[in-house]
Amino acid sequence: MTDRPTPDQPHDLIGIGIGPFNLSLAALAHTIPGRPTTAFYEQRPAFHWHPGLLIDGATLQVPFLADLVTLADPSNPWSFLNYLRAQDRLYPFYFAERFHIQRAEYDAYCRWVSEQIPGLHFSHQVDAVRWNPGRALFEVDFTQLDADGEAEALGRAHTRHIALGVGTEPFVPEPLRPLAEAPDILVIHSADYLHHRERLLDAAHITVIGSGQSGAEIFLDLLRARPQGAEKLHWLARTQAFAPMEYSKLGLEHFTPDYSRYFHALPEAVRDTLVPSQWQLHKGIDTDTITAIHDELYRRTLHGGWPDATLTPGVHVRTAVRHSGTRIELHLEHTQQHTRTRLTTDAVVLATGYRERPLDTLLTGLSPHIRRDASERPHIDDTYRLGLDPAVTGHIYVQNAERHTHGVGAPDLGLAAWRSATILNDLTGATPYPLPQRTAFTTFGLTPHPAPKIPQQGPTLIPLARG
């Protein structure tokens, strides 16, 4: 099934990328009466959410209510509970009493949605986006890929508006990039962990770098799989401790629409100081994983001796070189002691996080029209619209590339449905999804939160082509 208009009937919205955020947008758009015509393009052949990190037993760090639609529309047919009902698993889930579901289950749920909503085009790589002033439309050029990922056909679509959901990409620190790119050296990013797990387990010594949830889960998985007394594991981190994630009830209110609006209204310089200082809100380790790691280490001391596992925070990698063929030599510095040492290892797993994909490559043709801040980052308004020259009358909505303007909640699944609803309300000039006026007990700042914008009715409606 597709929602592809004829050339004379352009789309109302084209989404670029089909991760959870644009999938949420597609799901909520699909149930609007007389819905806007949409198409979403993704270069991968099917939906997969972090397949290299779907470790057995690993759970989401948000409740199951943070699905694609529920926090904007609990009655939506694409909710997680309706997925369970369709799979005849609603009662088993009820008795399991699980508020946090496994990542593999979330991946399966999203794939179920992606296989049923029309207008989702996988194996379609978007190559360029341009503004056509004569037609007052965006032109989107794409390449259709075959089963081997090779170019099969070229195409062009026109649309009034665009939603960018190109997501993030694995971050590899500069000192380790040459080794990560060498095919015979076992230096991998955590995003590919499961694809290389058997090779890693065959390595004599393994080093995990990174103090976040992914690093902790990978260290625990490797620890459980290694023989007692011969674990040969190192876990290194730049942070001063293997710290728990801030998961108190009031702390979680930083992931509410209220805080997003408050953060957006702050001066740019203030926002830039806040984001790095809030790392424990989203880069810490959940307490269950910390407990499981300590329990496993403790279990290995029951008959005397200590496990051959070294956990050292406060360390950064200065340089890294090849050693004795395929081994790796890490040159380390301790940030508090100001001491240096070397560590030789057979494999490195980089749990060093992700970075927002730059938008400029895709939007080269629009670069002169994009408004930027003092750090040359794009302006993004409170309805998630990219700041554009007034000559461009269409809107480009941004998903998960706005941490500098909206704060730590930008990549959080719990805000996905609310952000999608905000975008669709703005797109349609109506309120198909009424948004809550207040979402936190905390009042951020001494002035009230700006009220959500309510689109005006009547002649200001954005005209939508109906499919």
Side-chain angles (χ1 to χ4, degrees), residues 166-171 354-359 377-378 380 398-405 407 410-411:
V166 294
T168 56
E169 58 189 0
F171 173 70
Y354 298 79
R355 296 292 185 273
E356 295 173 354
R357 284 194 172 94
L359 305 180
R377 298 165 300 193
I380 300 169
V398 174
Q399 303 229 57
N400 194 15
E402 74 283 1
R403 186 177 294 180
H404 64 291
T405 57

Side-chain angles (χ1 to χ4, degrees), residues 340-354:
R340 295 179 177 180
T341 190
R342 298 180 181 183
L343 171 65
T344 302
T345 187
D346 297 284
V348 174
V349 181
L350 299 170
T352 46
Y354 298 79

Side-chain angles (χ1 to χ4, degrees), residues 193-212:
Y193 171 66
L194 288 182
H195 307 315
H196 297 276
R197 185 175 183 272
E198 295 307 315
R199 288 180 63 202
L200 288 166
L201 291 176
D202 288 339
H205 184 278
I206 310 169
T207 300
V208 178
I209 300 175
S211 62

Side-chain angles (χ1 to χ4, degrees), residues 147-413:
D148 297 320
E150 300 295 327
E152 187 174 62
L154 301 177
R156 174 176 294 174
H158 293 85
T159 182
R160 295 176 176 84
H161 308 291
I162 287 173
L164 289 177
V166 294
T168 56
E169 58 189 0
F171 173 70
V172 177
E174 185 64 36
L176 287 145
R177 285 180 190 172
L179 296 179
E181 294 168 357
D184 57 335
I185 302 289
L186 195 51
V187 176
I188 66 163
H189 192 273
S190 57
D192 298 316
Y193 171 66
L194 288 182
H195 307 315
H196 297 276
R197 185 175 183 272
E198 295 307 315
R199 288 180 63 202
L200 288 166
L201 291 176
D202 288 339
H205 184 278
I206 310 169
T207 300
V208 178
I209 300 175
S211 62
Q213 183 67 19
S214 296
E217 289 174 350
I218 288 170
F219 178 79
L220 177 60
D221 186 61
L222 292 171
L223 179 62
R224 286 170 168 168
R226 304 287 274 187
Q228 185 164 328
E231 294 84 0
K232 296 184 182 299
L233 292 172
H234 261 73
W235 185 16
L236 307 175
R238 290 180 64 99
T239 55
Q240 300 308 313
F242 295 104
M245 184 173 293
E246 168 56 70
Y247 208 73
S248 65
K249 302 304 182 185
L250 293 179
L252 289 174
E253 291 193 341
H254 286 84
F255 300 95
T256 59
D258 280 6
Y259 184 76
S260 295
R261 288 192 290 264
Y262 161 78
F263 186 92
H264 187 273
L266 291 172
E268 178 186 330
V270 177
R271 296 198 305 251
D272 287 347
T273 61
L274 273 177
V275 171
S277 70
Q278 295 174 331
W279 66 270
Q280 211 167 336
L281 287 170
H282 60 107
K283 290 185 177 180
I285 307 166
D286 76 57
T287 54
D288 287 344
T289 306
I290 292 176
T291 300
I293 289 172
H294 192 275
D295 287 350
E296 183 64 26
L297 291 169
Y298 178 77
R299 185 184 67 79
R300 291 167 184 249
T301 69
L302 295 182
H303 303 291
W306 288 70
D308 186 7
T310 302
L311 293 73
T312 309
V315 174
H316 79 272
V317 179
R318 296 174 53 248
T319 58
V321 296
R322 183 191 293 261
H323 179 84
S324 301
T326 59
R327 303 195 80 200
I328 304 117
E329 183 177 272
L330 303 174
H331 298 175
L332 308 177
E333 180 173 2
H334 196 279
T335 56
Q336 293 180 345
Q337 292 179 326
H338 301 291
T339 54
R340 295 179 177 180
T341 190
R342 298 180 181 183
L343 171 65
T344 302
T345 187
D346 297 284
V348 174
V349 181
L350 299 170
T352 46
Y354 298 79
R355 296 292 185 273
E356 295 173 354
R357 284 194 172 94
L359 305 180
D360 290 343
T361 303
L362 189 61
L363 302 180
T364 299
L366 290 167
S367 185
H369 301 288
I370 298 176
R371 294 178 170 177
R372 302 180 186 276
D373 63 17
S375 300
E376 288 300 306
R377 298 165 300 193
H379 277 291
I380 300 169
D381 74 10
D382 57 352
T383 55
Y384 298 94
R385 294 182 301 196
L386 194 67
L388 296 172
D389 188 286
V392 180
T393 56
H395 300 318
I396 296 180
Y397 298 96
V398 174
Q399 303 229 57
N400 194 15
E402 74 283 1
R403 186 177 294 180
H404 64 291
T405 57
H406 286 73
V408 293
D412 191 77
L413 294 175

